[in-house]
Amino acid sequence: MTDDGSTALADAVALLRAGEVVAFPTETVYGLGADATNPHAVARIFAIKGRPSFNPLIAHVASLEQALALGEFSGAAERLATAFWPGPLTVVTPVGVSRGVCDLARAGLGSIALRMPRHAMALALIEGLGRPIAAPSANRSGRVSPVSAAHVRADLGADVRCILDAGVSACGLESTIVGFLSGEATLLRPGAIAREEIEAALGTRLLQPVGNIVAPGATLSHYAPRATLRLNAEQIEPGEWAIDFAGKLAKAGAERIVADLSAVGDLREAAANLYTALRKLDDEDVMIAAVAPVPSYGLGEAINDRLRRAAGGVSSRSS
Ligand code: TXA
Ligand code: MG
């Protein structure tokens, strides 16, 4: 352990083996990981995050083979995993017969969410453990996902001894989740890979979730700063701060600008900056902020999804 709370990979693997939790970087956001085969270790994740136990966790693997042993992959599911792994794609499949991931991590469902991250430290951690790692984003439930070790420390530092630090996450948005439960590929959560890219790889359109075929976490109030957000703002109202995109609100006369997600209007850059901007609202005690319009194509779909959640547009229970 070093003084700043980070620790070497070997120590982190040893902690996971001993049934402890470890926060670690991925290319999307930081995760709070535990041995996915150990229900006691997984229970610690739910307790630390304050996460309801009906909300299942993603099992992170280090190879396609490891995933194929845990889930029942259709041809299309395997094709998609092959196209985007390692990377920010999560696939949900019926659970495999081996049942290698404990029931608690899957919230008792007959399905399993699987992802092979591309971040070298995440892969090394999974390989070192030799088992899948169950990991949600390393934030307190209902808060904005962390894209740096400092964010993790601010949220969970009192409860998590080991935080592996690899700087700021490259994507800044969670993985895209595609479900293969009904035969047809369904977009369960927009994320760091744009819908268009996935549809091109599949050769079909992604279905929208219907009824209860949805990522359980998607119904919760999530990504919520304390400030009230006014989305798609073309102008600035008196008393408002601004989250800008491509300088639009600056041009409209905004003076108190928390951040411009991308001054040049690049959606990848905007995705990478989004959560830091939302956290800044809290840090600066902002009460109300206008958010400039962000295009809805490409990564804009996921950015707008998170902005709507941050504005309280999607909520049933806060957790
Ligand atoms: O990028 C990511 O996906 C990050 C990093 C750490 O890998 N992880 C992440 O985990 O965002 P979490 O727990 O914050 O979000 C996972 C989502 C939740 O909404 C959960 O309900 C959904 O995945 N999920 C997990 N298992 C599922 C399943 N069997 N069926 C449908 N949705 C599932
Ligand atoms: Mg999360």
Side-chain angles (χ1 to χ4, degrees):
M1 279 274 173
T2 55
D3 288 346
D4 66 357
S6 65
T7 189
L9 192 67
D11 292 344
V13 170
L15 285 170
L16 289 175
R17 282 233 170 87
E20 301 277 340
V21 299
V22 166
F24 65 100
T26 83
E27 69 279 16
T28 57
V29 299
Y30 275 68
L32 180 64
D35 177 349
T37 68
N38 178 344
H40 300 290
V42 170
R44 297 258 302 131
I45 294 178
F46 284 95
I48 289 171
K49 277 195 59 122
R51 178 169 174 122
S53 56
F54 61 77
N55 192 1
L57 307 179
I58 297 170
H60 295 70
V61 296
S63 68
L64 179 62
E65 291 64 43
Q66 201 178 8
L68 294 177
L70 296 170
E72 287 294 333
F73 279 66
S74 64
E78 189 172 340
R79 262 204 326 281
L80 202 65
T82 305
F84 290 105
W85 284 358
L89 168 77
T90 296
V91 296
V92 175
T93 69
V95 66
V97 282
S98 74
R99 308 229 154 210
V101 165
C102 69
D103 280 351
L104 181 61
R106 291 183 293 101
L109 296 177
S111 58
I112 183 164
L114 292 157
R115 165 158 125 79
M116 177 181 174
R118 72 160 179 253
H119 197 291
M121 203 180 274
L123 287 173
L125 197 64
I126 305 162
E127 269 160 14
L129 180 64
R131 296 183 205 130
I133 293 181
S137 50
N139 52 288
R140 194 88 53 197
S141 196
R143 295 264 295 151
V144 174
S145 292
V147 298
S148 72
H151 290 167
V152 180
R153 216 167 285 129
D155 259 19
L156 303 178
D159 296 320
V160 178
R161 279 197 302 147
C162 173
I163 303 172
L164 291 174
D165 187 344
V168 176
S169 307
C171 304
L173 276 183
E174 299 87 345
S175 60
T176 302
I177 306 183
V178 180
F180 290 92
L181 299 177
S182 59
E184 316 253 13
T186 305
L187 183 62
L188 299 179
R189 177 177 72 183
I193 302 175
R195 165 199 293 275
E196 294 89 331
E197 276 188 70
I198 291 180
E199 291 181 340
L202 282 172
T204 56
R205 303 297 297 272
L206 284 165
L207 298 186
Q208 287 300 115
V210 283
N212 58 5
I213 310 169
V214 67
T219 59
L220 299 168
S221 163
H222 253 188
Y223 318 110
R226 281 185 290 272
T228 302
L229 299 185
R230 190 169 65 82
L231 305 184
N232 296 311
E234 306 275 350
Q235 298 292 334
I236 201 89
E237 305 281 344
E240 280 181 341
W241 288 68
I243 293 182
D244 213 348
F245 180 77
K248 181 159 193 136
L249 292 172
K251 267 183 228 123
E255 282 166 6
R256 295 189 297 174
I257 298 174
V258 178
D260 190 330
L261 296 178
S262 172
V264 295
D266 179 74
L267 289 169
R268 195 165 292 276
E269 185 184 21
N273 288 332
L274 178 66
Y275 287 154
T276 300
L278 291 178
R279 276 182 186 259
K280 225 167 145 196
L281 293 173
D282 283 348
D283 296 345
E284 313 235 336
D285 283 328
V286 172
M287 299 301 294
I288 177 156
V291 184
V294 175
S296 57
Y297 57 81
L299 292 182
E301 182 177 8
I303 295 171
N304 280 298
D305 171 75
R306 304 307 192 272
L307 283 172
R308 276 195 299 277
R309 290 167 194 282
V314 180
S315 70
S316 54
R317 282 155 294 230
S318 171
S319 57

